[in-house]
Amino acid sequence: MPTWREWLFSAKALIAALLALYIALAIPLDNPYWAMASVYVVSHPLSGATRSKAIYRALGTLLGAAASVVLLPMFAQQPVMLSLVISLWIGALLFLSLLDRSPRSYIFMLAAYTVPLVSLAEVNHPSTIFDVALARSEEILLGIVCASVVNAVLFPSRIATTLGAKMGLLLQDGRAAVSRMLNARHLGEADQRALNALLVDVMGLDGMINHLSYDSSSHLSATHAREFRARMAMLMPQLISAADALHRLQDELHGLLPELEEYLQDVDRWIQGDAPDGRAEQLRERGMQLAAWLCDTHPTHALAIDSGLRQLRALVDLWQDCLDLHRQFRDGHADAAPALRYHVQQLIGGPRHYDYGLLAFSAASVALSIFCLCMLWFVSGWEYGYSGVFIAAVAGCFFASQDNPAPFIRSFLIATLFSSVAAGIYLFALMPNVHDFGSLATLLAVPLLLLGTLAGRPQHAGTVILVAVQTISNITIQDSYRADFQLFADIALSTALGVIFALAWARLSRPFGTFWAARRLERHGWLSLAELAVTRRKRDYATVASSFVDRTAQLLPRLTQLGDDGQALNDATRELRVCFRLLELRELHLTRSKKQQVQTVLQQVREHFLACARAHRQLPPAQELLQALETALRLLQDDPTRIARKAAQALNGLRLALFPHAPASVPMQPPPSAADLAGAFA
């Protein structure tokens, strides 16, 4: 059963749609139903999202209409050139849309398919294109204004409230992950699926944060939300790094040191919320004291102990930042940000990872399909064949970002057929009984109200909105009843064939699907790590980190779809840890001798990941890399300086990430070789 919020959203959308239709009929506009349909396109359960979608749709509509006014008169008498120009326009704008993974991408996508919508119907009357483009813009803008006003006036739903609740749920999920992984009996045992879902949910906050600026009274609320998102994105690698280091130490000592186990319990208790406020600083100071004491009393395991406690202190700082940011966001967004300890600036508004080759292929594929369909339409001489071209452009643009668009276009086809049948029933069976606006509103209200309750659910929103928009458009509501069965059937057949063509094209042009996209993401990650290891170019390594985290966030849901049982998930997590350890090493200003030692290791790291990229699969690291790491660690442990200690910590983290079965500690002296043993007993 729908919730009261879903009923409320549906009622507001219906009121806005009927208001837009009434005003369009009263003016009157040429096609009033476009104003009504536009309401359902931009409506969203959250007021800020509705406002942002309205702005983006308005800008996209105006851009597409302006392009139509320019292009059609120039090429109306040249069908091939017109088809080529429209296809290139769609491909270029779609590529820009795919590059911008924010709600702003809607501007480019809408501008892309607005051109065939406005221009192709007037290909035989190019002189009227300005009037048609103006009328279409007026109709769509009227719907946008009505949706925005109604959503803002009638019981507005604030994004900040919903986002604050979502942040609280993410904290709960984080607590559950910490409880599982920091339990001394099951230390390091990770539920990879749960951690994967947590990271994906965290990265999914971006969409709501982008809408927040249209809903919030303070610019700092979006800043706090981005800071929170960045730190929660680091929870998974930070938690795994801490748990893994302590787990190796536990195995090596056949049990965790009592002092470490007690400290671990205190940290877990604090994170679960069972400790009083203000404990974070106490835990941090205690961790530093404990590290100094245990390293002195257990010098053989000093590096492993220091690594585990260092990662735990970072986890404490990270969690305290998340709590402070969530509290400040929830309590009203104070004028100043809290004091933050965890260094994560590289993930605040940093660059994302883009597979430019795949994005260009997707956009070019859609553009080529539209060109071919345009040529088929011109050759056939089918008067209303433009409907098929337009709907194929819509289907192609909507699902171009999917690894395998075919299943989505198939659902699009089903919705199209259903809306055509529903429109036919309305147009020829029910509409003849309508004599005034009241009876028209009553006839439309019940099905639209029921459909609207499903539109508030993300899993059904796309299909439901498509059915509503296409049904309203196919009824072609005017100021008087007009029904032409031949015309209706002609357009319905053209629309269905257009979607079928888009479906067949998607199956033929993009058969590789999710597996291929995941492999490309993995390969990009290996190449990035190889470049990060030894590049001598001066660059902002923080951008590398941001791009790498985004790449991982794109990869993990794809691995889940492929049904991977955990190995690939572990690999993705491991590579994220490798990335941050390499960044730590790159930021250290080592002496010449120490730099040479580290460079030997990094060169082998580079060769390993280049080999993975060449093989297009994950390869086990060579034993020579482990030996190089341990040799460098022995030399660095002999150096008491602070910078040498930091380098040793980073190299040890790199060793633990690359070699899952390596011991926690590195002996100060290498074990004797077989030749040495033979010589000793000679």
Side-chain angles (χ1 to χ4, degrees), residues 578-590:
V578 169
C579 173
F580 282 96
R581 298 295 84 80
L582 289 175
L583 282 170
E584 290 176 9
L585 288 170
R586 302 296 304 192
E587 293 173 354
L588 293 176
H589 299 287
L590 300 171

Side-chain angles (χ1 to χ4, degrees), residues 63 88-112 354 356 359-364 397 400-401:
L63 179 59
L88 291 175
W89 171 267
I90 291 174
L93 271 292
L94 180 57
F95 182 70
L96 293 176
S97 175
L98 295 174
L99 285 179
D100 187 352
R101 298 203 319 265
S102 74
R104 291 185 300 272
S105 64
Y106 191 46
I107 297 174
F108 305 109
M109 183 187 295
L110 189 65
Y354 296 100
Y356 293 101
L359 296 182
F361 175 81
S362 300
C397 290
S401 61

